[in-house]
Amino acid sequence: MMAPMFLEKYEELVETEVIEEIKTLAGELKGVSLQHINSTAVGGGVAEILKTLVPLMEEVGLNVQWTVMEGDEEFFQVTKTFHNAFHGQPVNITQEMFEIYREVNRRNFRLIDPDVDFVIIHDQQPLGLVQAREGNQGRWIWYCHIDPTGVLEKLWNFMRPLAARFDAAIYHLPEYVKGVARREYVMPPAIDPLSEKNRPVTEEEKKAVLKKLGIDEDKPIILQVSRFDRLKDPVGVIEVYRLVKRNYSCQLVLAGGEASDDPEGIQVLREVLKTAGDDPDIHVLALDPKSDLEINVLQQSAAVVVQKSVREGFGLTATEALWKGRPVVTTGVGGLGRQVIHGKTGLVTTTTEDMASAVERLLADRAYAAILGAAGKEHVRSNFILPVYLRSWLRLLRDLHR
Ligand code: UDP
């Protein structure tokens, strides 16, 4: 009886109805097979979601595979450009890029299991695999993890006919719905409160990790955790820190790692290091993918967590920080706006100067910071926590399986 035992661990965190409904739905869906396909095994939100979701789906009795598509540097340059274009950035899209995209997707057709009940394609990199669905009996689902509202027309004209071949599309927020697949669902992601990244940590663990990372545990930490991506504005975070630093003793930690489908990371990391200069209170950490405990400790140790994204599909880094009861300051774009509600679960700002003032306010008023943090934690507990997410998935699969 794997499933009930496994679910028991969450019983204190969610309402009994959630657990009961999961058990019922899991019973109806027992043995249903699924193949998740995405473009990287580590780094970024999609890998993070799959890392938690895949074992969980297996635990409740589904038959699950996770396949990472194969691509070379050239392909990931193209899909990174597409990613930026999806987020409305004014990038140049060429015919040659479409050809590279189609060709690499074609080479990956062999990775598709023709016998599964559901093929779930994550984001746009493997969207072209749908061209192989002929003769495949399973249902195809496209899970769009980014904010597609400002997608450049040239790219959408190319992607739309692909997306239109899906039985269903899933988006993180209602305003993202493109109305392109046969059925469309809204399903924001979630974090696992029991994972290494989100579990409670002891004081000893905290001390040991901070020491290892060379961070002074007594100086207030301003933290942003993110891949080194311009859309996360890490250079802007340094500007925020410099404004705050004029009035408060503090240190900045920018923690990020690599994602194999993001070739721009190295270049952005270089820009960040250059901007940081030789300030001993700026810690730019290029972490390896197995750094869940390190990220956990950083998030639990931060005086203020910022997320200065220019665009954001959902922003799991904010979810993780809120869950740890941290005061969070964001730009409120995309999914960040759902999580950080100004004056309730954190603070929302638009400019660098405003963000600096918000950080200063939270450094000065620790009681207010704690109130926001507690409300943020409760907001995550009721909306963006793993069992709630699993229930949404099972409801959706049952809906499509009938
Ligand atoms: N993350 C990580 N290591 C890093 C940077 C990020 O494990 O060095 C994780 C982070 O904790 C979060 C996810 O990657 O779980 C990022 O997801 P988010 O939705 O915030 O952004 P995305 O990278 O998908 O744009």
Side-chain angles (χ1 to χ4, degrees), residues 44-73:
V46 179
E48 191 71 24
I49 290 168
L50 288 171
K51 208 164 80 181
T52 354
L53 185 66
V54 168
L56 186 69
M57 284 180 153
E58 275 172 349
E59 298 262 10
V60 297
L62 303 177
N63 187 349
V64 192
Q65 300 172 56
W66 171 8
T67 307
V68 177
M69 78 179 297
E70 290 157 16
D72 50 15
E73 165 91 24

mmCIF file of all heavy atoms in Angstrom, residues 44-73:
data_model
loop_
_atom_site.group_PDB
_atom_site.id
_atom_site.type_symbol
_atom_site.label_atom_id
_atom_site.label_comp_id
_atom_site.label_asym_id
_atom_site.label_seq_id
_atom_site.Cartn_x
_atom_site.Cartn_y
_atom_site.Cartn_z
ATOM 1 N N GLY A 44 16.307 25.140 -13.558
ATOM 2 C CA GLY A 44 15.055 25.774 -13.950
ATOM 3 C C GLY A 44 13.823 25.081 -13.404
ATOM 4 O O GLY A 44 13.885 23.964 -12.887
ATOM 5 N N GLY A 45 12.717 25.773 -13.534
ATOM 6 C CA GLY A 45 11.472 25.359 -12.909
ATOM 7 C C GLY A 45 10.888 24.056 -13.431
ATOM 8 O O GLY A 45 10.340 23.270 -12.652
ATOM 9 N N VAL A 46 10.992 23.800 -14.735
ATOM 10 C CA VAL A 46 10.346 22.600 -15.291
ATOM 11 C C VAL A 46 11.016 21.340 -14.741
ATOM 12 O O VAL A 46 10.343 20.391 -14.303
ATOM 13 C CB VAL A 46 10.370 22.614 -16.838
ATOM 14 C CG1 VAL A 46 9.720 21.354 -17.382
ATOM 15 C CG2 VAL A 46 9.651 23.844 -17.369
ATOM 16 N N ALA A 47 12.337 21.331 -14.726
ATOM 17 C CA ALA A 47 13.063 20.182 -14.164
ATOM 18 C C ALA A 47 12.702 20.019 -12.697
ATOM 19 O O ALA A 47 12.532 18.904 -12.192
ATOM 20 C CB ALA A 47 14.562 20.371 -14.332
ATOM 21 N N GLU A 48 12.562 21.145 -12.024
ATOM 22 C CA GLU A 48 12.215 21.124 -10.595
ATOM 23 C C GLU A 48 10.831 20.487 -10.391
ATOM 24 O O GLU A 48 10.645 19.637 -9.519
ATOM 25 C CB GLU A 48 12.220 22.578 -10.102
ATOM 26 C CG GLU A 48 12.140 22.747 -8.621
ATOM 27 C CD GLU A 48 13.425 22.338 -7.915
ATOM 28 O OE1 GLU A 48 14.498 22.351 -8.536
ATOM 29 O OE2 GLU A 48 13.324 21.986 -6.725
ATOM 30 N N ILE A 49 9.895 20.873 -11.228
ATOM 31 C CA ILE A 49 8.532 20.324 -11.123
ATOM 32 C C ILE A 49 8.572 18.815 -11.391
ATOM 33 O O ILE A 49 7.998 18.023 -10.646
ATOM 34 C CB ILE A 49 7.583 21.018 -12.131
ATOM 35 C CG1 ILE A 49 7.336 22.464 -11.714
ATOM 36 C CG2 ILE A 49 6.258 20.263 -12.265
ATOM 37 C CD1 ILE A 49 6.655 23.317 -12.770
ATOM 38 N N LEU A 50 9.266 18.424 -12.451
ATOM 39 C CA LEU A 50 9.279 17.008 -12.828
ATOM 40 C C LEU A 50 9.984 16.149 -11.778
ATOM 41 O O LEU A 50 9.577 15.018 -11.507
ATOM 42 C CB LEU A 50 9.912 16.834 -14.210
ATOM 43 C CG LEU A 50 9.010 17.333 -15.346
ATOM 44 C CD1 LEU A 50 9.760 17.353 -16.675
ATOM 45 C CD2 LEU A 50 7.760 16.473 -15.473
ATOM 46 N N LYS A 51 11.015 16.717 -11.200
ATOM 47 C CA LYS A 51 11.768 16.007 -10.166
ATOM 48 C C LYS A 51 10.840 15.581 -9.019
ATOM 49 O O LYS A 51 10.990 14.524 -8.440
ATOM 50 C CB LYS A 51 12.842 16.973 -9.634
ATOM 51 C CG LYS A 51 14.076 16.330 -9.091
ATOM 52 C CD LYS A 51 15.195 17.355 -8.978
ATOM 53 C CE LYS A 51 15.074 18.231 -7.751
ATOM 54 N NZ LYS A 51 16.115 19.249 -7.619
ATOM 55 N N THR A 52 9.885 16.400 -8.698
ATOM 56 C CA THR A 52 8.961 16.093 -7.608
ATOM 57 C C THR A 52 7.733 15.335 -8.099
ATOM 58 O O THR A 52 7.249 14.423 -7.436
ATOM 59 C CB THR A 52 8.430 17.393 -6.948
ATOM 60 O OG1 THR A 52 9.083 18.498 -7.482
ATOM 61 C CG2 THR A 52 8.516 17.364 -5.490
ATOM 62 N N LEU A 53 7.238 15.764 -9.256
ATOM 63 C CA LEU A 53 5.962 15.226 -9.736
ATOM 64 C C LEU A 53 6.059 13.773 -10.208
ATOM 65 O O LEU A 53 5.164 12.970 -9.950
ATOM 66 C CB LEU A 53 5.457 16.120 -10.880
ATOM 67 C CG LEU A 53 4.089 15.802 -11.440
ATOM 68 C CD1 LEU A 53 2.999 16.062 -10.393
ATOM 69 C CD2 LEU A 53 3.815 16.647 -12.686
ATOM 70 N N VAL A 54 7.147 13.445 -10.905
ATOM 71 C CA VAL A 54 7.262 12.106 -11.485
ATOM 72 C C VAL A 54 7.235 11.009 -10.406
ATOM 73 O O VAL A 54 6.398 10.106 -10.474
ATOM 74 C CB VAL A 54 8.502 12.011 -12.414
ATOM 75 C CG1 VAL A 54 8.812 10.580 -12.784
ATOM 76 C CG2 VAL A 54 8.261 12.846 -13.668
ATOM 77 N N PRO A 55 8.072 11.081 -9.367
ATOM 78 C CA PRO A 55 7.986 10.046 -8.332
ATOM 79 C C PRO A 55 6.629 10.010 -7.634
ATOM 80 O O PRO A 55 6.113 8.951 -7.314
ATOM 81 C CB PRO A 55 9.086 10.411 -7.334
ATOM 82 C CG PRO A 55 9.748 11.623 -7.839
ATOM 83 C CD PRO A 55 9.161 12.030 -9.132
ATOM 84 N N LEU A 56 6.059 11.170 -7.467
ATOM 85 C CA LEU A 56 4.763 11.249 -6.788
ATOM 86 C C LEU A 56 3.666 10.567 -7.606
ATOM 87 O O LEU A 56 2.840 9.822 -7.072
ATOM 88 C CB LEU A 56 4.429 12.724 -6.602
ATOM 89 C CG LEU A 56 3.200 13.049 -5.798
ATOM 90 C CD1 LEU A 56 3.424 12.691 -4.348
ATOM 91 C CD2 LEU A 56 2.895 14.526 -5.918
ATOM 92 N N MET A 57 3.663 10.812 -8.904
ATOM 93 C CA MET A 57 2.664 10.163 -9.765
ATOM 94 C C MET A 57 2.856 8.645 -9.724
ATOM 95 O O MET A 57 1.886 7.891 -9.722
ATOM 96 C CB MET A 57 2.798 10.672 -11.207
ATOM 97 C CG MET A 57 2.232 12.060 -11.412
ATOM 98 S SD MET A 57 2.417 12.571 -13.128
ATOM 99 C CE MET A 57 1.043 13.713 -13.287
ATOM 100 N N GLU A 58 4.119 8.235 -9.686
ATOM 101 C CA GLU A 58 4.392 6.795 -9.594
ATOM 102 C C GLU A 58 3.867 6.229 -8.280
ATOM 103 O O GLU A 58 3.272 5.163 -8.243
ATOM 104 C CB GLU A 58 5.889 6.526 -9.712
ATOM 105 C CG GLU A 58 6.312 6.443 -11.157
ATOM 106 C CD GLU A 58 7.820 6.378 -11.322
ATOM 107 O OE1 GLU A 58 8.548 6.611 -10.335
ATOM 108 O OE2 GLU A 58 8.249 6.108 -12.450
ATOM 109 N N GLU A 59 4.094 6.973 -7.208
ATOM 110 C CA GLU A 59 3.664 6.513 -5.885
ATOM 111 C C GLU A 59 2.169 6.241 -5.835
ATOM 112 O O GLU A 59 1.715 5.347 -5.135
ATOM 113 C CB GLU A 59 3.990 7.564 -4.813
ATOM 114 C CG GLU A 59 5.452 7.854 -4.651
ATOM 115 C CD GLU A 59 6.071 7.088 -3.500
ATOM 116 O OE1 GLU A 59 5.413 6.197 -2.960
ATOM 117 O OE2 GLU A 59 7.220 7.403 -3.160
ATOM 118 N N VAL A 60 1.383 7.050 -6.564
ATOM 119 C CA VAL A 60 -0.072 6.835 -6.492
ATOM 120 C C VAL A 60 -0.564 5.844 -7.542
ATOM 121 O O VAL A 60 -1.756 5.676 -7.730
ATOM 122 C CB VAL A 60 -0.878 8.159 -6.559
ATOM 123 C CG1 VAL A 60 -0.568 9.043 -5.378
ATOM 124 C CG2 VAL A 60 -0.672 8.885 -7.872
ATOM 125 N N GLY A 61 0.363 5.204 -8.256
ATOM 126 C CA GLY A 61 -0.046 4.081 -9.102
ATOM 127 C C GLY A 61 -0.053 4.328 -10.604
ATOM 128 O O GLY A 61 -0.466 3.465 -11.381
ATOM 129 N N LEU A 62 0.402 5.512 -11.025
ATOM 130 C CA LEU A 62 0.495 5.728 -12.473
ATOM 131 C C LEU A 62 1.817 5.133 -12.955
ATOM 132 O O LEU A 62 2.747 4.934 -12.184
ATOM 133 C CB LEU A 62 0.443 7.221 -12.807
ATOM 134 C CG LEU A 62 -0.791 7.990 -12.321
ATOM 135 C CD1 LEU A 62 -0.654 9.466 -12.654
ATOM 136 C CD2 LEU A 62 -2.046 7.435 -12.978
ATOM 137 N N ASN A 63 1.856 4.905 -14.260
ATOM 138 C CA ASN A 63 3.039 4.319 -14.847
ATOM 139 C C ASN A 63 3.754 5.445 -15.616
ATOM 140 O O ASN A 63 3.294 5.859 -16.675
ATOM 141 C CB ASN A 63 2.499 3.236 -15.790
ATOM 142 C CG ASN A 63 3.573 2.408 -16.354
ATOM 143 O OD1 ASN A 63 4.745 2.728 -16.234
ATOM 144 N ND2 ASN A 63 3.177 1.339 -17.008
ATOM 145 N N VAL A 64 4.849 5.956 -15.030
ATOM 146 C CA VAL A 64 5.380 7.236 -15.532
ATOM 147 C C VAL A 64 6.809 7.146 -16.070
ATOM 148 O O VAL A 64 7.668 6.534 -15.436
ATOM 149 C CB VAL A 64 5.374 8.306 -14.407
ATOM 150 C CG1 VAL A 64 5.626 9.691 -14.969
ATOM 151 C CG2 VAL A 64 4.071 8.289 -13.648
ATOM 152 N N GLN A 65 7.032 7.765 -17.214
ATOM 153 C CA GLN A 65 8.404 7.906 -17.740
ATOM 154 C C GLN A 65 8.708 9.396 -17.847
ATOM 155 O O GLN A 65 7.822 10.174 -18.170
ATOM 156 C CB GLN A 65 8.498 7.378 -19.171
ATOM 157 C CG GLN A 65 8.156 5.950 -19.397
ATOM 158 C CD GLN A 65 8.126 5.664 -20.901
ATOM 159 O OE1 GLN A 65 9.089 5.900 -21.622
ATOM 160 N NE2 GLN A 65 7.013 5.149 -21.374
ATOM 161 N N TRP A 66 9.970 9.745 -17.660
ATOM 162 C CA TRP A 66 10.420 11.124 -17.895
ATOM 163 C C TRP A 66 11.558 11.042 -18.906
ATOM 164 O O TRP A 66 12.590 10.432 -18.639
ATOM 165 C CB TRP A 66 10.852 11.765 -16.587
ATOM 166 C CG TRP A 66 11.528 13.110 -16.732
ATOM 167 C CD1 TRP A 66 11.651 13.871 -17.868
ATOM 168 C CD2 TRP A 66 12.161 13.868 -15.696
ATOM 169 N NE1 TRP A 66 12.299 15.048 -17.606
ATOM 170 C CE2 TRP A 66 12.630 15.077 -16.289
ATOM 171 C CE3 TRP A 66 12.373 13.663 -14.337
ATOM 172 C CZ2 TRP A 66 13.300 16.051 -15.545
ATOM 173 C CZ3 TRP A 66 13.046 14.642 -13.607
ATOM 174 C CH2 TRP A 66 13.502 15.828 -14.203
ATOM 175 N N THR A 67 11.371 11.658 -20.048
ATOM 176 C CA THR A 67 12.363 11.631 -21.117
ATOM 177 C C THR A 67 12.871 13.049 -21.383
ATOM 178 O O THR A 67 12.059 13.974 -21.507
ATOM 179 C CB THR A 67 11.716 11.083 -22.416
ATOM 180 O OG1 THR A 67 11.095 9.842 -22.112
ATOM 181 C CG2 THR A 67 12.734 10.902 -23.521
ATOM 182 N N VAL A 68 14.190 13.194 -21.465
ATOM 183 C CA VAL A 68 14.764 14.506 -21.783
ATOM 184 C C VAL A 68 15.166 14.495 -23.251
ATOM 185 O O VAL A 68 15.909 13.607 -23.692
ATOM 186 C CB VAL A 68 15.983 14.802 -20.890
ATOM 187 C CG1 VAL A 68 16.624 16.130 -21.267
ATOM 188 C CG2 VAL A 68 15.566 14.815 -19.419
ATOM 189 N N MET A 69 14.673 15.435 -24.020
ATOM 190 C CA MET A 69 15.010 15.443 -25.445
ATOM 191 C C MET A 69 16.491 15.772 -25.638
ATOM 192 O O MET A 69 17.122 16.378 -24.771
ATOM 193 C CB MET A 69 14.131 16.421 -26.227
ATOM 194 C CG MET A 69 14.535 17.869 -26.094
ATOM 195 S SD MET A 69 13.484 19.013 -27.051
ATOM 196 C CE MET A 69 13.782 18.494 -28.727
ATOM 197 N N GLU A 70 17.025 15.356 -26.780
ATOM 198 C CA GLU A 70 18.441 15.608 -27.032
ATOM 199 C C GLU A 70 18.589 16.744 -28.041
ATOM 200 O O GLU A 70 17.875 16.782 -29.046
ATOM 201 C CB GLU A 70 19.079 14.327 -27.602
ATOM 202 C CG GLU A 70 19.176 13.239 -26.527
ATOM 203 C CD GLU A 70 19.267 11.834 -27.110
ATOM 204 O OE1 GLU A 70 19.552 11.699 -28.324
ATOM 205 O OE2 GLU A 70 19.032 10.880 -26.351
ATOM 206 N N GLY A 71 19.517 17.641 -27.738
ATOM 207 C CA GLY A 71 19.742 18.742 -28.671
ATOM 208 C C GLY A 71 21.175 19.210 -28.538
ATOM 209 O O GLY A 71 21.810 18.975 -27.512
ATOM 210 N N ASP A 72 21.679 19.870 -29.583
ATOM 211 C CA ASP A 72 23.050 20.379 -29.490
ATOM 212 C C ASP A 72 23.002 21.872 -29.144
ATOM 213 O O ASP A 72 21.935 22.482 -29.022
ATOM 214 C CB ASP A 72 23.813 20.129 -30.803
ATOM 215 C CG ASP A 72 23.004 20.607 -31.999
ATOM 216 O OD1 ASP A 72 22.023 21.373 -31.784
ATOM 217 O OD2 ASP A 72 23.332 20.239 -33.129
ATOM 218 N N GLU A 73 24.172 22.440 -29.005
ATOM 219 C CA GLU A 73 24.324 23.858 -28.635
ATOM 220 C C GLU A 73 23.506 24.770 -29.570
ATOM 221 O O GLU A 73 22.791 25.669 -29.129
ATOM 222 C CB GLU A 73 25.827 24.174 -28.693
ATOM 223 C CG GLU A 73 26.217 25.623 -28.694
ATOM 224 C CD GLU A 73 26.458 26.154 -27.281
ATOM 225 O OE1 GLU A 73 26.758 25.347 -26.397
ATOM 226 O OE2 GLU A 73 26.324 27.390 -27.112
#
